Amino acid sequence: MYDMPEDIDVRADGALRIITLNRPDALNAVNDGLHTGLARLWPQLSEDRDARAAVLTGSGKAFSAGGDFAYLAELAADRELRARTIAHGRELVLGMARCRIPVIAAVNGPAVGLGCSLVALSDIVYMAETAYLADPHVQVGLVAADGGPLTWPLQISLLQAKEYALTGARIPAAKACELGLANHMVADPLSEALACAKRIAEQPRQAVESTKRLLNMHIERAVLATLDYAMTAEELTFQSDDFQTNIARLTAGKS
């Protein structure tokens, strides 16, 4: 469904749309195709008038392992690709914040970097007992322009947001629920998320969509206040010596 690359699978189940990040052999790490597809996804989902709710999950063992190291190296070297990716990041964040229908995240495994951001921008979150969140942007030398710092201060205390953003520490599922970054820790997050989505799809449509819009106005206002600075700052850190050194080390270690 939709105009999506093979790295994103979208299928219909009645009024539900099931969105699967589909690079299982790479732990759904974000490459150019996946990032570009995510930027295009949310407006198309909003325009799909038959859709009433969506479930977002990952294929295989992970929700998303974050940025693919080879892709990050490309971004460091290719100015045009970097500019396009930064623009897509802005579209992705605002598109998800403005999405017409509720998005329920089924976090089946690690949700790192952009994967963590997708969880933070979802409306309801179910996490597997072994899943965790982490935003390691700073650890590799980047500003998290589309990461946790955009939304975490609305969801947890500012002190906690600073700790996890500045250290990149993992947030296990139980801790994520305790903090308010997830709703439920469950054995089967996909089945629970689908059940929740079906319950929402059965509610009065206009009331659901307007209530979601009302709630997400808080997120959108917060995001708009910081997003342009964040995107500019991230673009600069892609060119920093620290990032260049770190990504060279990471890609060498992977090979």
Side-chain angles (χ1 to χ4, degrees):
M1 289 186 71
Y2 308 158
D3 178 25
M4 288 292 106
E6 62 181 5
D7 300 320
I8 301 175
D9 178 67
V10 183
R11 65 181 179 88
D13 180 3
L16 305 186
R17 299 295 177 264
I18 303 168
I19 303 157
T20 305
L21 308 180
N22 192 33
R23 298 189 71 213
D25 293 342
L27 299 178
N28 303 316
V30 179
N31 61 2
D32 184 48
L34 185 54
H35 196 266
T36 300
L38 285 168
R40 295 174 179 167
L41 171 65
W42 309 107
Q44 293 184 54
L45 186 61
S46 291
E47 291 170 6
D48 181 354
R49 298 305 301 175
D50 293 327
R52 300 284 296 271
V55 171
L56 175 64
T57 193
S59 176
K61 298 179 179 180
F63 184 80
S64 174
D68 185 288
F69 294 155
Y71 177 46
L72 293 177
E74 288 181 63
L75 290 171
D78 188 332
R79 183 176 179 179
E80 290 190 8
L81 176 64
R82 189 166 64 244
R84 178 164 59 85
T85 298
I86 293 290
H88 283 165
R90 192 179 196 281
E91 293 170 15
L92 190 164
V93 170
L94 289 176
M96 198 167 182
R98 293 168 174 168
C99 185
R100 176 180 61 83
I101 64 173
V103 178
I104 296 88
V107 186
N108 54 305
V112 179
L114 184 59
C116 184
S117 305
L118 294 172
V119 173
L121 287 162
S122 295
D123 300 301
I124 299 173
V125 178
Y126 290 85
M127 291 185 69
E129 296 166 359
T130 56
Y132 62 84
L133 309 175
D135 191 335
H137 277 83
V138 166
Q139 288 179 304
V140 297
L142 293 174
V143 171
D146 52 7
L150 287 176
T151 57
W152 281 350
L154 291 175
Q155 299 166 316
I156 58 180
S157 81
L158 186 56
L159 288 175
Q160 291 165 328
K162 289 176 181 178
E163 177 181 353
Y164 289 112
L166 293 172
T167 67
R170 292 182 180 183
I171 309 173
K175 186 66 174 179
C177 290
E178 177 187 331
L179 290 172
L181 292 172
N183 298 83
H184 306 282
M185 181 177 69
V186 295
D188 187 347
L190 181 56
S191 65
E192 296 282 358
L194 286 168
C196 178
K198 288 177 182 177
R199 290 194 298 272
I200 290 173
E202 292 168 355
Q203 302 298 320
R205 179 177 197 150
Q206 184 175 347
V208 166
E209 293 180 9
S210 296
T211 299
K212 172 180 171 167
R213 179 65 184 145
L214 172 63
L215 292 165
N216 269 30
M217 282 180 177
H218 298 285
I219 293 175
E220 186 176 338
R221 286 171 179 168
V223 164
L224 286 171
T226 57
L227 190 57
D228 287 337
Y229 168 79
M231 292 293 169
T232 299
E234 183 175 37
E235 205 278 337
L236 290 173
T237 52
F238 268 114
Q239 303 171 61
S240 70
D241 291 340
D242 284 334
F243 175 71
Q244 299 282 349
T245 299
N246 283 327
I247 198 60
R249 173 178 54 82
L250 291 168
T251 51
K254 186 175 180 180
S255 62

